[in-house]
Amino acid sequence: MVGPTLWVQLPTGRVRLTVGEQVRTIPAAQVASGEAVEADGDRAFVPIRVEYRDLEGTPATAPQDPAVDPAELTRLSLVIGGASYPVPFSAADELSYLEVEQSSDDGLSLEVEFDGVPQSVDESGRRDEGESAGLYDASTRLELLSCGEETEDRPEGAGAAPVRTCRYDLWQYPYLEGLGWASQAEPGAIWAVATAQTWLRADQVRGQGGGCRPGAMGGSARLSLDGQQAIEELPVVANQRAGGHGLGARAAFLVTPSPEHDLEIVSTWGCRLGDRSQDQAFVDRVSARP
């Protein structure tokens, strides 16, 4: 279908609306009954096509809640000549028609509300983003230095052996599925989500009579950001590899938008053999900077 396409960024993906020229008749081939439909009086039909692409334009590492259905949170309206017409949200690429008052296409715009926060875009591309502005900068991931991979030399030129590995990640975004808009929880705030994945070789934790076995290892990881405790813990997969044990932690924080943050990761490891457990803690402090 030929016509202007208006698009907006949602927290969960990107929605596009293509608008065709007004017609007086819907062709019989596009009507379920097989009979053409004529517009009444000063009414007309506008062909539209709604497209939704899940995750398009969102941070690659943003945690997603599979229980959240964007169709239940999204309200679309097409404004033509100053009159507003509701548009059904659909992830399917299907042609449908809106019945409208016959007029010129002057003032064509798309209004969108997602979970109570509105935004709009007109045919020229001019946007009124409001509290949704942060959605249009998908590069909100902040780079963090981490411990990388700690190794130790082995005798007789056998090469270095891994002892501990860590990967840390931090991103900022105005909306978090399951928690909603940060600005509604605290004016001017943004969500920061930190992820830590760590792995420790088993013999670095001492149990009864020596180094621990991988199957006897356990532990936990705790995150804090800029000295704040997490608003909510989020699921994440642990960093698994042979010969040791992995831990994973992900947490959401409500913070002031900033390119600089300090993340503290406390990982505590234990060896559970018999009745004894000896815990060992590692504390990493990493910073996100421009």
Side-chain angles (χ1 to χ4, degrees):
M1 184 176 67
V2 177
T5 296
L6 311 175
W7 68 271
V8 296
Q9 184 66 45
L10 305 181
T12 57
R14 187 167 291 177
V15 63
R16 293 178 175 85
L17 176 66
T18 302
V19 184
E21 294 185 1
Q22 296 182 15
V23 296
R24 292 281 299 168
T25 305
I26 302 178
Q30 297 174 3
V31 180
S33 65
E35 297 180 3
V37 178
E38 297 290 334
D40 294 329
D42 61 352
R43 311 289 286 179
F45 297 110
V46 175
I48 60 171
R49 191 184 303 274
V50 177
E51 301 174 86
Y52 171 72
R53 297 293 179 261
D54 192 40
L55 303 184
E56 183 178 351
T58 65
T61 55
Q64 303 295 326
D65 184 350
V68 174
D69 182 359
E72 296 180 357
L73 298 172
T74 307
R75 303 290 179 267
L76 306 178
S77 297
L78 179 63
V79 177
I80 303 176
S84 179
Y85 303 93
V87 175
F89 180 95
S90 174
D93 181 12
E94 297 179 353
L95 179 68
S96 60
Y97 288 85
L98 286 180
E99 186 179 8
V100 303
E101 295 180 7
Q102 194 170 8
S103 66
S104 70
D105 289 343
D106 292 343
L108 187 70
S109 64
L110 174 63
E111 296 179 342
V112 179
E113 181 182 295
F114 186 94
D115 203 6
V117 169
Q119 58 174 310
S120 65
V121 59
D122 65 20
E123 190 175 356
S124 71
R126 184 173 59 251
R127 299 182 182 278
D128 182 1
E129 299 164 353
E131 295 179 49
S132 303
L135 300 178
Y136 291 84
D137 181 11
S139 60
T140 50
R141 183 178 183 274
L142 303 180
E143 296 295 332
L144 292 172
L145 295 176
S146 74
C147 76
E149 179 168 291
E150 295 180 357
T151 60
E152 65 179 10
D153 293 331
R154 294 194 294 182
E156 300 177 1
V163 173
R164 187 167 72 105
T165 62
C166 337
R167 294 195 300 272
Y168 305 137
D169 182 78
L170 180 69
W171 61 265
Q172 298 180 114
Y173 212 49
Y175 186 90
L176 184 60
E177 294 183 27
L179 291 178
W181 295 96
S183 59
Q184 293 186 345
E186 182 179 312
I190 198 167
W191 290 114
V193 175
T195 303
Q197 294 177 312
T198 66
W199 175 89
L200 184 68
R201 201 173 68 199
D203 61 11
Q204 301 302 296
V205 178
R206 311 302 293 179
Q208 287 180 332
C212 194
R213 296 196 303 267
M217 290 181 72
S220 62
R222 186 179 72 254
L223 305 177
S224 62
L225 185 67
D226 298 336
Q228 300 181 38
Q229 298 304 305
I231 298 293
E232 185 159 323
E233 303 293 332
L234 305 171
V236 68
V237 177
N239 179 17
Q240 301 292 351
R241 57 192 297 182
H245 185 75
L247 298 176
R250 176 178 281 169
F253 303 85
L254 201 59
V255 300
T256 301
S258 173
E260 301 183 7
H261 290 289
D262 295 310
L263 177 66
E264 181 178 270
I265 307 98
V266 179
S267 55
T268 304
W269 311 78
C271 184
R272 283 147 183 85
L273 293 173
D275 297 329
R276 299 181 62 186
S277 173
Q278 182 173 347
D279 291 338
Q280 183 171 346
F282 291 89
V283 179
D284 291 329
R285 295 182 178 89
V286 294
S287 297
R289 294 289 185 268

